[in-house]
Amino acid sequence: MLHEKDIRKIRADFPILSQKIYDRELIYFDNAATTQKPEIVVKKIENGYFRYNANIHRGVHYLSQMATDAHEDARQTVANFIKADKKEDIIFTRGTTEAINLVAFSFGEAFCWAGDEIVLSVMEHHSNIVPWQMLCKRKAMKLRVIPIDENGKLYLDEYEAMLNERTKLIAITHVSNVLGTINPVEQIIEIAHRHDIPVLVDGAQAVPHIAVDVKKLDADFYVFSGHKVYGPTGVGVLYGKEKWLERMPPYQGGGEMIATVSFEKTTYNELPFKFEAGTPDYIGSVAFAEALEYVEKIGIKSIADYENRLTEYALERLKIIRNIRIIGNTGQRTSVLSFMIGDIHPYDIGILLDKLGIAVRTGHHCAQPLMDYFNIPGTVRTSFAFYNTKEEIDTFVAALQKVVDMLL
Ligand code: PMP
């Protein structure tokens, strides 16, 4: 269990947190957009460029072999972190978005035809909507959307009723980036598998906050981004079951992903390289693995427990704000909190909070269909990480009170 004194020590690992903005202590509550980086992660990047930078896989020389080993060890670290069977099931991408595009393209090429259907939910991030829409356009297919109730809970009966012989894949978020809702993905996958339908889980907002075991979930594809889990930008993960990845064509062509090339015929490399065309971000992957090890050292269960306590505290404290409406209340949640206050535009609240040193996100959070569903222009969103504190929440609530008094 994490205590105040542990948090003080943890905060010292994140140099960015100890700075002042507008002459005030920075309070960073925008962790769902991206997390801050511990010093060891940034040092790992520096060390990579200063000590072993060389292009990987093709080199026979010392530095190239060092870089290759570091990159492949990073792949193993990722596999261990999400409890994948083997490192070959891990494909490095630029992030969640690229991982979903890869599957939408490649799975779409192999398995989807006119009239087929993809099922997703109303609470998806645009990254888990638009690539499927593009596939639907390309192949004359249909999107089906699982509805939610006013608390942000998926209607599972309607979901199951939607499945039929034309359903090719379910694409569902593990945790909503707006509501913080943890969806019952294990049950969703179990239902899909009863109908022989594979499931892609968008884990961008889950991996930083809850323990993820892709084997236990039995997910066919699981995707997430390094930068949301204390790693660098530009690196992410596609986990896929071998039985699917083997049968899917490459997403991009180029170096690394080939076995042989002639002008008559190209044969493709084995997994995971078939899906990693070009020079990968081998410096980033190693720093990403360092971030996962950092999280592991603190312990994802301790992190979840601490963040839950922070969120409960914030929910309680926010009750003093007049006309506040929390969007999404399912009980099962992470540390993302979205709210509206009366009819004040979220943007106005965000701007004023910023001047008081508090970073929150406002707007549609790349989930416009969800905003349409709730019939709101957007929300103010706070999202806590394990380096945030109750004192910061107190300061935030007092600042919000001030802002509301000005605007209401
Ligand atoms: N899915 C969800 C649920 C997200 O929260 C995000 C990032 N906001 C993404 C996908 C996209 O992640 P990235 O921009 O790192 O590719």
Side-chain angles (χ1 to χ4, degrees), residues 32-33 95-98 125 127 173 175 177 202 204-205 225 227-228:
T96 305
T97 304
E98 189 178 55
H125 187 280
S127 295
T173 195
V175 171
N177 68 311
D202 174 352
Q205 297 294 343
S225 298
H227 71 96
K228 290 191 198 281

Side-chain angles (χ1 to χ4, degrees), residues 58-76:
R58 293 173 294 262
V60 291
H61 62 80
Y62 183 86
L63 289 189
S64 176
Q65 294 204 0
M66 250 181 103
T68 304
D69 289 349
H71 183 66
E72 291 308 316
D73 287 351
R75 198 189 301 278
Q76 186 63 57

Side-chain angles (χ1 to χ4, degrees), residues 358-393:
I358 302 165
V360 297
R361 188 143 294 243
T362 64
H364 56 62
H365 316 295
C366 298
Q368 280 180 354
L370 184 62
M371 299 296 117
D372 291 346
Y373 172 82
F374 282 114
N375 200 18
I376 51 178
T379 73
V380 180
R381 182 185 74 183
T382 60
S383 48
F384 312 124
F386 55 74
Y387 42 59
N388 291 127
T389 64
K390 283 186 175 172
E391 289 71 42
E392 287 182 315
I393 290 172

Side-chain angles (χ1 to χ4, degrees), residues 148-164:
I148 54 174
D149 69 15
E150 69 283 1
N151 290 316
K153 196 167 175 208
L154 294 166
Y155 284 116
L156 288 186
D157 296 352
E158 297 203 24
Y159 156 61
E160 184 155 18
M162 240 172 228
L163 306 181
N164 64 66

